[in-house]
């Protein structure tokens, strides 16, 4: 590890997280310059905009790093240890930087290792942060809600700012707060966030989640490991990122067992140590590039990806007409020629088809012959991104209350929507604005698939979860202009 430290006053330095990221940024900048030159001159784009000349298959190899939805939580888990933790394979994305900033505000010393994506998090001097400083992070991410348990254990109090994250539905935090109350937390809602205390300490609890929420399951895990006594969590989420978080906590000294039927038992222990862990790969990023390969009739090797966590996606990819080869170091995805086939999908919790996979896939489905249906059962507002696809020539009808008369495998929730996509429809270039993280990536895919030129704006949102995506587009031979 190098000695370069990061503290509150040096938040900006957190942004330069790894030597590799810096190198990648440099080569990205070189690529951008080249692209701008190819286009003739600078065309006056802001760093939040890209011009894409579509209709060219994506071909080549890119690497996927650690999962956003694990790395950020693993960083919070470091707060629970008495000794420093080392997290490897950390992606250089803005959500990670937001969490690093919040940890630094609470006194966690973050240093980066010589290896790309290696972070050391030292929680020896965890302290109460100023509310005003925390407030500066309001609305930037949903991860701060997971600071509750660890901060209550370490400091006896916590202040959590208003949350951010993608606007894809109400995204309430009632399951989190109910679980925390079960452990003995006292919660006060303030105009700018929530304040928590634990006057009698935190004690193990019996909790049944109304829905297998990823975040609420993580909340329970991060709180129960140091709570006094046993916790039984029923109807827990069992996503691979949750299993990876459990592995991290076990390395730290926790006693956690995963039982059948979504039950997790946690025996509280008096203290935990730091961990050394390589974050599981990002399934969402992998599925996004796979969908991009399919939609653009391309051939993309996605390095760092493993089959097991992708099984459900791979089945759908094959049903739609894509092909793939599993290798030791990744998976190659390609369009084998011929017509793509329509599918019916219900998004679901793991091991079902992830809600985060539907947006990139929808673009490929606009090119399938016939009618595809996607029932979105996890979030109540996750088809906003299709407006832009319709503008580009797609035939997509969104049923805001779902298709009530259709047979369904996943039990209906009181809200849901369905999108019916009829293809194939050629897409044409358009000016489009990124609405949210996954929807934004699907906009990029649409622009790459479309004939003609598209201008995609509000790109910053995509960097929340996709590392060096501009560089990756360049590596895959996309034709674009991007100026920083
Ligand atoms: N829910 C509640 N109350 C709660 C918590 C959740 O009603 O207290 C509901 C939500 O409104 C939603 C459902 O439960 O309808 C599922 O939400 P969940 O808690 O599982 O989602 P999350 O933890 O907020 C994580 C990922 C999401 C991913 C979902 C589902 C992170 C930071 N986010 O969100 O990722 O879609 O799980 O797998 O881990 C993304 O990466 O773009 C993204 C949105």
């Amino acid at each position: 590890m190098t000695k370069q430290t990061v503290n509150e006053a040096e938040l900006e330095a957190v942004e330069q997280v790894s030597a590799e990221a810096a190198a990648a940024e440099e080569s990205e900048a070189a690529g951008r310059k080249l692209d701008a030159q190819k286009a003739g001159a600078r065309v006056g784009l802001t760093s939040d905009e890209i011009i894409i000349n579509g209709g060219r298959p994506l071909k080549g190899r890119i690497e996927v790093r650690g999962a956003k939805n694990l790395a950020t939580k693993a960083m919070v888990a470091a707060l629970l240890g008495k000794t420093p933790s080392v997290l490897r394979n950390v992606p250089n994305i803005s959500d990670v930087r937001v969490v690093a900033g919040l940890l630094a505000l609470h006194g966690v010393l973050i240093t980066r290792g010589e290896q790309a994506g290696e972070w050391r998090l030292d929680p020896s001097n965890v302290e109460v942060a100023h509310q005003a400083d925390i407030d500066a992070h309001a609305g930037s991410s949903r991860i701060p809600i997971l600071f509750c348990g660890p901060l209550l254990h370490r400091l006896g109090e916590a202040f959590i700012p208003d949350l951010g994250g993608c606007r894809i539905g109400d995204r309430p935090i009632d399951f989190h707060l109910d679980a925390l109350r079960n452990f003995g937390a006292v919660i006060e809602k303030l105009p700018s966030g929530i304040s928590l205390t634990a006057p009698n300490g935190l004690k193990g609890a019996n909790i049944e989640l109304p829905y297998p929420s990823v975040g609420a399951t993580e909340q329970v895990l991060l709180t129960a490991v140091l709570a006094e006594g046993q916790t039984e969590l029923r109807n827990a989420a069992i996503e691979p990122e949750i299993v990876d978080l459990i592995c991290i906590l076990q390395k730290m000294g926790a006693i956690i067992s995963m039982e059948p039927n979504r039950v997790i038992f946690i025996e509280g222990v008096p203290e935990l140590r730091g961990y050394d862990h390589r974050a599981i790969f990002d399934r969402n990023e992998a599925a996004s590039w796979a969908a991009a390969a399919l939609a653009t009739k391309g051939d993309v090797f996605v390095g760092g990806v493993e089959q097991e966590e992708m099984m459900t996606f791979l089945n759908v990819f094959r049903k739609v007409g894509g092909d793939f080869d599993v290798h030791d170091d990744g998976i190659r995805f390609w369009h084998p020629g011929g017509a793509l086939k329509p599918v019916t999908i219900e998004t679901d919790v793991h091991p079902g088809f992830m809600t985060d996979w539907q947006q990139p896939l929808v673009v490929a489905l606009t090119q399938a012959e016939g009618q595809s249906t996607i029932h979105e059962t996890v979030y109540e507002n996750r088809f906003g991104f299709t407006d832009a696809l319709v503008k580009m020539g797609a035939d997509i009808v969104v049923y805001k209350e779902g298709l009530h008369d259709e047979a369904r495998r996943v039990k209906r929730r009181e809200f849901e929507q369905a999108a019916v996509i009829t293809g194939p429809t050629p897409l044409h270039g358009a000016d489009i604005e990124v609405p949210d993280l996954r929807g934004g990536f699907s906009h990029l895919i649409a622009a790459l698939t479309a004939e003609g030129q598209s201008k995609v704006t509000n790109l910053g949102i995509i960097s929340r979860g996709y590392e060096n995506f501009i560089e990756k587009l360049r590596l895959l031979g996309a034709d674009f202009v991007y100026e920083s």
Side-chain angles (χ1 to χ4, degrees):
M1 308 289 294
T2 61
K3 287 270 180 319
Q4 187 179 340
T5 54
V6 179
N7 61 30
E8 299 144 51
E10 293 170 324
L11 262 186
E12 280 178 15
V14 177
E15 308 220 340
Q16 290 162 8
V17 288
S18 71
E20 190 198 72
E25 267 161 30
E26 228 170 75
S27 93
E28 191 172 306
R32 287 193 297 261
K33 220 179 201 169
L34 205 76
D35 292 317
Q37 279 163 3
K38 255 198 281 169
R42 292 181 74 84
V43 288
L45 295 174
T46 71
S47 61
D48 228 16
E49 301 170 333
I50 187 170
I51 288 180
I52 294 180
N53 298 307
R56 185 194 265 220
L58 292 187
K59 287 192 173 164
R61 173 174 178 141
I62 45 120
E63 302 298 320
V64 158
R65 206 97 73 91
K68 161 175 97 65
N69 293 346
L70 177 275
T72 44
K73 287 81 182 266
M75 292 167 74
V76 180
L79 273 174
L80 294 164
K82 283 254 166 189
T83 52
S85 290
V86 176
L87 183 61
R88 288 173 283 110
N89 205 23
V90 179
N92 182 19
I93 52 175
S94 56
D95 266 18
V96 159
R97 293 194 287 273
V98 168
V99 179
L102 272 169
L103 286 170
L105 284 177
H106 287 94
V108 177
L109 206 60
I110 303 174
T111 49
R112 58 183 168 81
E114 275 152 24
Q115 294 270 323
E118 182 178 299
W119 286 40
R120 183 174 190 271
L121 304 118
D122 183 349
S124 310
N125 297 307
V126 171
E127 59 194 12
V128 176
H130 295 293
Q131 267 194 28
D133 294 337
I134 301 178
D135 243 3
H137 291 272
S140 51
S141 159
R142 292 188 62 74
I143 310 297
I145 191 69
L146 297 178
F147 279 62
C148 294
L151 286 183
L152 283 174
H153 282 303
R154 290 299 301 258
L155 304 168
E157 61 178 277
F159 170 73
I160 309 299
D162 278 340
L163 301 179
C166 290
R167 272 171 270 129
I168 50 184
D170 279 350
R171 307 195 79 180
I173 52 168
D174 50 336
F175 304 165
H176 294 252
L177 301 186
D178 288 349
L180 286 160
R181 283 192 193 99
N182 270 307
F183 283 108
V186 174
I187 300 167
E188 191 190 349
K189 291 196 178 159
L190 305 174
S192 54
I194 51 171
S195 162
L196 300 95
T197 51
N200 302 313
L202 296 170
K203 306 220 164 34
N206 278 326
I207 296 168
E208 173 150 9
L209 295 178
Y211 180 81
S213 150
V214 168
T217 299
E218 291 159 344
Q219 183 75 263
V220 169
L221 288 168
L222 292 167
T223 308
V225 282
L226 284 179
E228 193 189 318
Q230 281 207 358
T231 294
E232 179 180 328
L233 174 63
R234 293 182 302 281
N235 207 21
I238 50 166
E239 267 62 9
E241 295 78 17
I242 299 242
V243 177
D244 210 34
L245 181 64
I246 290 176
C247 290
I248 289 173
L249 294 168
Q250 190 178 48
K251 285 177 177 177
M252 297 176 82
I255 301 174
I256 304 174
S257 58
M258 291 189 76
E259 308 288 329
N261 299 323
R262 299 187 176 277
V263 175
I264 302 179
F265 283 119
I266 304 121
E267 281 180 43
V269 293
E271 67 174 54
L272 295 170
R273 54 178 178 265
Y275 63 81
D276 184 325
H277 191 80
R278 182 180 167 81
I280 189 173
F281 75 92
D282 198 311
R283 304 181 284 153
N284 294 336
E285 189 187 358
S288 301
W289 288 111
L294 192 60
T296 63
K297 301 196 167 127
D299 188 339
V300 175
F301 190 101
V302 186
V305 172
E306 288 176 29
Q307 180 179 14
E308 193 178 327
E309 288 75 18
M310 297 294 293
M311 263 183 190
T312 307
F313 178 83
L314 293 175
N315 285 335
V316 171
F317 193 80
R318 179 165 279 158
K319 280 197 212 168
V320 175
D323 211 344
F324 59 89
D325 254 348
V326 178
H327 297 250
D328 285 349
D329 58 342
I331 302 183
R332 176 185 158 217
F333 297 91
W334 75 96
H335 186 309
L340 295 184
K341 290 171 272 211
V343 281
T344 295
I345 295 170
E346 295 162 27
T347 64
D348 195 7
V349 294
H350 187 75
F353 189 90
M354 281 197 85
T355 165
D356 305 279
W357 292 339
Q358 55 98 342
Q359 303 83 344
L361 192 74
V362 162
V363 186
L365 294 178
T366 66
Q367 304 309 303
E369 270 186 10
Q371 204 169 70
S372 297
T373 305
I374 299 202
H375 299 271
E376 171 57 56
T377 78
V378 180
Y379 290 111
E380 60 269 55
N381 182 18
R382 220 174 181 180
F383 285 124
F385 72 97
T386 59
D387 290 349
L389 305 192
V390 170
K391 188 169 157 189
M392 298 171 82
D395 178 350
I396 303 176
V397 180
V398 175
Y399 295 84
K400 293 214 182 306
E401 318 222 310
L403 296 173
H404 288 269
D405 47 353
E406 281 221 349
R408 289 271 317 281
R409 185 182 59 84
V410 176
K411 198 169 141 231
R412 185 179 295 283
R413 296 176 81 197
E414 66 216 41
F415 59 79
E416 63 179 40
Q417 326 115 74
V420 175
I421 305 126
T422 308
T425 48
L427 300 182
H428 54 78
D431 286 0
I432 48 182
E433 187 181 339
V434 166
D436 60 68
L437 177 61
R438 307 294 166 198
F441 199 86
S442 90
H443 285 185
L444 283 184
I445 301 177
L448 292 160
T449 306
E451 283 302 325
Q453 197 169 78
S454 296
K455 183 172 175 185
V456 186
T457 54
N458 208 17
L459 276 190
I461 293 185
I462 300 181
S463 358
R464 279 193 41 220
Y466 291 89
E467 182 184 68
N468 296 332
F469 65 94
I470 300 278
E471 166 67 3
K472 289 177 186 173
L473 287 176
R474 193 178 68 76
L475 285 171
L476 296 176
D479 183 359
F480 64 91
V481 183
Y482 178 76
E483 299 166 349
S484 59

